[in-house]
């Protein structure tokens, strides 16, 4: 039998107080502890005696608990008999909040009563929320939140490495970011938690991001080789146009197969290609576009000139006819009329209401979408330029606000200067999401080199290319490019502004670009012309002379 030289009177104050609470019936697990009062005193005396003999602090922690267990084994205790002392030490840990880390690590499951959990000092900032927390979360979820708060208290800062050491399976851990965002919504650590949560899930399921495929990867020969050459050399075509050519080639392959022709570009397959375009009931502008793309390919890849000429002839004829056809954008604007004020008002509403979103993903979506809409109202960037703009490079924050310095991907137009002061709170919200403004500069420093309009759960990589279109369409029934049309129409409606203002705002290299974006502009010009003519007529006398001169 193991004997210890330390008496209960020689125990540290906290241990003596705990034993007195058992005697006085002041502990939570009173029934269990009172029946094991003598064993508890013996266990604590053994722990302290072992700690002092090894020069360790006289308290319960991982080091002293393990040393005590080793001593019991050395004294002849069987491994199966150690459950009793361990259970008593865990009771002591949960009741006094001393050595809880060892108690949790040594137990297969966490079954702590919530009453003991909420006693801990790290719950002090959330005391007022405890009734709501009890209702909102399950007991296992509250225990995990407590473990996270303890883990956080033991570290200087929260980063990916620190989060990686937190013990929890990916299924349980996946809820932690959302729960902490509900309890402490403005804390910077929540964003790091969400990133770590996604990484842990990918590791658990063995996720490996596949490499991106080139647009011509599925084209048959000889088209795959022809397109590879165009992609690899300076052919004078933009990446988007090369992708469109690949799409036209797929239609050519499909048309050739339907007509029972070999997969090649000849006059015969070109005719089948055009016939299929009309059979598929495409818009005339789409038919003209596909003919243009295939004609461009025939010319650049060195096919017979007559193929190019025939396709361009169809393109020109269909394009001329398409001028009488209402564009899809015109249909949508007639069905869902909006102007720039509507876009700005939607951004304002999203920003003001985002904080009230319970779901963390929806909340962050609304912050980012509000910033994107507000920016588009002031700076008509294309979706790709907006998504790929980096913090500290294209978008820079200083003490005065935000500034922009980028070159548009389509036309190479340089856009540089300070953004309107009204945009500051919107772009700050995109940067911070639901983190407090007190962390602005620390967040900004961390985010340098990442996409401003980036996904926090994907390491701040830009949102998908359809993300902005999808979410903006849900709010306004229109995609981001509609803002260019609204700009041109608004400029046309203002008698004091010239179309060159809209050209500058939209970054267009030529005034001819305006015809692709104007929808209501001609109506506004007709109205202004009519008003000007009326005012001129009102100034004439009955005989047609100028009334101002006769006076």
């Amino acid at each position: 039998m193991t004997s210890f030289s330390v008496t209960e009177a020689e125990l540290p104050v906290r241990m003596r107080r705990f034993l007195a609470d058992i005697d006085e019936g002041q502990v939570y697990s009173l029934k269990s502890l009172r029946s094991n009062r003598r064993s508890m005193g013996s266990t604590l005396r053994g722990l302290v005696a072992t700690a002092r003999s090894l020069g360790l602090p006289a308290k319960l922690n991982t080091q002293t608990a393990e040393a005590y267990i080793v001593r019991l084994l050395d004294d002849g205790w069987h491994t199966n008999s150690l459950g009793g002392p361990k259970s008593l030490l865990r009771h002591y840990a949960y009741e006094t909040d001393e050595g809880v880390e060892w108690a949790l690590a040594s137990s297969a499951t966490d079954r702590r009563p919530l009453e003991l959990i909420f006693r801990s000092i790290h719950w002090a900032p959330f005391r007022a929320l405890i009734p709501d927390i009890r209702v909102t979360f399950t007991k296992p979820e509250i225990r995990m939140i407590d473990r996270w708060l303890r883990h956080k208290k033991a570290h200087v800062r929260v980063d990916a490495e620190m989060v990686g050491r937190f013990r929890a399976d990916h299924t349980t851990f996946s809820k932690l970011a959302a729960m902490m965002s509900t309890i402490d919504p403005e804390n910077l650590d929540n964003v790091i938690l969400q990133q770590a949560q996604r990484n842990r899930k990918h590791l658990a399921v063995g996720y490996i991001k596949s490499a991106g495929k080139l647009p011509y990867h599925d084209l048959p020969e000889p088209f795959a080789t022809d397109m590879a050459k165009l992609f690899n050399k300076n052919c004078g075509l933009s990446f988007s146009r090369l992708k469109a050519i690949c799409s036209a080639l797929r239609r050519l392959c499909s048309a050739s197969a339907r007509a029972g022709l070999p997969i090649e570009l000849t006059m015969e397959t070109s005719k089948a290609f055009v016939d299929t375009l009309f059979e598929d009931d495409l818009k005339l502008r789409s038919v003209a576009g596909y003919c243009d793309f295939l004609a461009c390919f025939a010319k650049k890849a060195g096919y017979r000139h007559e193929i190019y000429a025939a396709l361009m002839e169809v393109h020109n004829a269909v394009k001329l006819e398409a001028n009488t056809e209402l564009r899809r954008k015109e249909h949508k604007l007639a069905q869902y009329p909006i102007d720039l004020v509507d876009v700005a008002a939607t951004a304002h509403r999203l920003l003001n209401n985002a904080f009230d979103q319970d779901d963390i993903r929806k909340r962050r979506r609304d912050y980012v979408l509000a910033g994107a809409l507000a920016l588009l109202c002031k700076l008509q960037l294309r979706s790709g330029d907006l998504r790929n703009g980096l913090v500290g490079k294209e978008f820079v924050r200083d003490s005065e606000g935000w500034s922009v310095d980028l070159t548009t991907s389509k036309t190479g137009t340089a856009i540089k200067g300070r953004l309107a002061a009204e945009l500051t709170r919107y772009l700050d919200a995109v940067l911070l999401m639901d983190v407090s403004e007190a962390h602005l500069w620390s967040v900004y420093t961390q985010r340098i080199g990442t996409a401003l309009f980036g996904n926090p759960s994907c390491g701040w990589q830009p949102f998908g290319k359809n993300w902005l279109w999808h979410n903006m369409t849900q709010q306004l029934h229109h995609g981001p490019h509609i803002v260019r049309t609204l700009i041109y129409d608004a400029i046309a409606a203002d008698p004091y502004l010239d179309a060159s203002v809209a050209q500058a705002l939209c970054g267009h290299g030529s005034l001819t670009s305006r015809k692709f974006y104007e929808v209501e502009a001609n109506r506004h010009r007709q109205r202004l012309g009519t008003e000007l003519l009326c005012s001129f007529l009102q100034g004439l006398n009955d005989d047609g002379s100028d009334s101002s001169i006769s006076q």
Side-chain angles (χ1 to χ4, degrees):
M1 181 176 177
T2 305
S3 60
F4 308 110
S5 57
V6 176
T7 65
E8 287 190 6
E10 296 173 316
L11 291 174
V13 173
R14 178 177 292 186
M15 293 183 182
R16 294 202 308 269
R17 179 68 260 174
F18 172 65
L19 293 175
D21 286 342
I22 296 176
D23 296 335
E24 296 168 6
Q26 300 298 317
V27 292
Y28 179 80
S29 303
L30 179 61
K31 183 177 179 180
S32 174
L33 292 175
R34 180 165 283 176
S35 62
N36 291 281
R37 166 65 177 81
R38 187 172 180 180
S39 298
M40 175 62 78
S42 175
T43 300
L44 293 179
R45 290 190 296 110
L47 178 77
V48 172
T50 304
R52 289 175 178 171
S53 67
L54 297 175
L56 300 174
K59 64 179 183 179
L60 176 61
N61 57 33
T62 300
Q63 197 175 11
T64 56
E66 291 178 352
Y68 176 57
I69 298 302
V70 170
R71 176 175 179 176
L72 293 179
L73 290 172
D74 290 342
D75 288 348
W77 283 58
H78 193 275
T79 305
N80 295 335
S81 303
L82 296 177
K86 286 183 178 180
S87 178
L88 292 172
L89 288 177
R90 281 194 286 268
H91 271 295
Y92 170 75
Y94 299 151
E95 294 274 357
T96 64
D97 207 35
E98 177 181 292
V100 176
E101 288 71 20
W102 168 82
L104 292 172
S106 65
S107 178
T109 57
D110 183 2
R111 297 181 179 176
R112 291 173 294 160
L114 298 188
E115 288 75 11
L116 297 182
I117 287 176
F118 290 131
R119 287 183 187 177
S120 301
I121 189 64
H122 49 257
W123 282 96
F126 314 113
R127 293 285 184 224
L129 299 175
I130 287 177
D132 293 331
I133 291 173
R134 283 178 175 273
V135 174
T136 305
F137 304 120
T138 64
K139 289 182 179 180
E141 289 172 343
I142 294 173
R143 290 171 183 137
M144 182 174 64
I145 294 172
D146 181 76
R147 293 198 302 273
W148 165 251
L149 294 175
R150 291 180 181 279
H151 183 71
K152 181 179 172 182
K153 187 173 66 172
H155 292 79
V156 177
R157 67 176 182 273
V158 176
D159 54 26
E161 182 182 358
M162 173 268 191
V163 176
R165 290 195 292 268
F166 181 65
R167 192 167 65 101
D169 63 88
H170 79 275
T171 303
T172 309
F173 184 73
S174 64
K175 304 176 183 178
L176 184 58
M179 291 190 294
M180 290 307 302
S181 178
T182 302
I183 296 173
D184 193 8
E186 295 189 346
N187 198 308
L188 173 61
D189 303 338
N190 297 335
V191 178
I192 301 173
L193 265 178
Q194 189 181 21
Q195 293 172 340
Q197 160 191 322
R198 186 179 183 90
N199 294 337
R200 188 174 292 201
K201 179 180 179 181
H202 286 172
L203 288 173
V205 300
Y207 172 82
I208 300 176
K209 187 176 182 180
S210 58
K213 296 179 180 178
L214 291 168
Y216 59 83
H217 75 279
D218 57 345
L219 290 176
E221 294 294 346
F223 301 140
T225 300
D226 292 335
M227 288 306 303
K229 291 177 181 177
L230 293 179
F231 270 90
N232 292 330
K233 70 178 183 181
N234 186 14
C235 62
L237 301 176
S238 67
F239 184 78
S240 60
R241 188 163 179 82
L242 289 170
K243 286 177 62 178
I245 290 174
C246 291
S247 179
L249 287 172
R250 291 187 190 92
R251 280 193 168 270
L252 174 67
C253 295
S254 175
S256 300
R258 284 163 64 175
L261 299 173
I263 307 300
E264 57 187 5
L265 180 55
T266 62
M267 285 295 292
E268 192 175 9
T269 57
S270 297
K271 183 179 182 304
F273 170 77
V274 174
D275 290 342
T276 303
L277 291 177
F278 285 104
E279 290 171 4
D280 289 347
D281 197 28
L282 298 177
K283 292 283 187 180
L284 292 179
R285 282 185 176 81
S286 299
V287 173
Y290 277 118
C291 291
D292 179 37
F293 299 145
L294 191 59
C296 179
F297 170 75
K299 182 178 181 179
K300 293 290 184 178
Y303 286 83
R304 292 164 51 191
H305 179 73
E306 64 179 8
I307 298 175
Y308 167 78
L311 288 167
M312 286 305 297
E313 183 178 354
V314 176
H315 163 75
N316 292 329
V318 175
K319 185 178 179 182
L320 184 63
E321 185 179 352
N323 288 334
T324 62
E325 180 183 68
L326 284 177
R327 289 172 289 178
R328 182 182 304 170
K329 175 168 53 180
E330 294 169 336
H331 280 293
K332 288 291 291 293
L333 274 174
Q335 186 178 6
Y336 304 106
I338 64 168
D339 56 22
L340 282 174
V341 174
D342 295 322
V343 180
T346 302
H348 184 265
R349 172 176 56 81
L350 287 170
L351 180 63
N352 288 343
N353 296 341
F355 188 79
D356 296 328
Q357 286 277 17
D358 292 332
D359 188 283
I360 184 174
R361 292 176 178 82
K362 292 180 180 179
R363 183 161 62 250
R364 291 174 176 174
R365 174 204 63 194
D366 288 355
Y367 280 127
V368 176
L369 184 58
L373 293 179
L375 183 60
L376 287 174
C377 288
K378 292 288 188 179
L379 189 67
Q380 285 65 51
L381 295 177
R382 290 179 176 84
S383 178
D385 294 329
L386 183 144
R387 290 187 305 106
N388 295 316
L390 304 181
V391 177
K393 186 178 179 183
E394 282 82 12
F395 297 106
V396 178
R397 177 69 157 94
D398 57 25
S399 58
E400 298 180 33
W402 287 89
S403 56
V404 63
D405 184 3
L406 60 80
T407 302
T408 60
S409 57
K410 185 174 182 179
T411 64
T413 304
I415 301 176
K416 184 175 183 179
R418 184 164 295 282
L419 294 172
E422 294 85 355
L423 290 177
T424 300
R425 64 186 292 257
Y426 289 91
L427 297 185
D428 282 354
V430 174
L431 181 76
L432 294 168
M433 294 202 172
D434 47 6
V435 176
S436 170
E437 291 181 2
H439 301 292
L440 174 66
W441 295 113
S442 59
V443 173
Y444 181 79
T445 302
Q446 292 176 10
R447 290 286 308 279
I448 288 177
T450 64
L452 175 60
F453 295 91
N455 189 341
S457 63
C458 295
W460 301 112
Q461 293 297 311
F463 281 98
K465 62 181 181 180
N466 291 325
W467 184 90
L468 180 57
W469 181 90
H470 173 76
N471 286 285
M472 185 172 172
T473 301
Q474 286 191 328
Q475 295 291 333
L476 293 164
H477 303 284
H478 298 277
H481 271 59
I482 197 64
V483 179
R484 293 171 173 270
T485 292
L486 301 180
I487 284 289
Y488 272 100
D489 289 348
I491 294 298
D494 192 322
Y496 301 103
L497 296 177
D498 186 77
S500 58
V501 176
Q503 177 192 353
L505 287 172
C506 296
H508 288 147
S510 171
L511 273 175
T512 57
S513 299
R514 79 186 189 194
K515 66 182 180 181
F516 298 107
Y517 292 94
E518 292 179 344
V519 172
E520 301 290 342
N522 287 334
R523 182 173 62 81
H524 292 314
R525 293 191 186 100
Q526 290 172 0
R527 177 180 56 79
L528 290 173
T530 302
E531 291 175 357
L532 182 62
L533 181 60
C534 289
S535 63
F536 175 71
L537 292 174
Q538 289 173 0
L540 294 179
N541 295 319
D542 293 338
D543 60 359
S545 61
D546 192 334
S547 60
S548 62
I549 296 177
S550 62
Q551 293 174 358

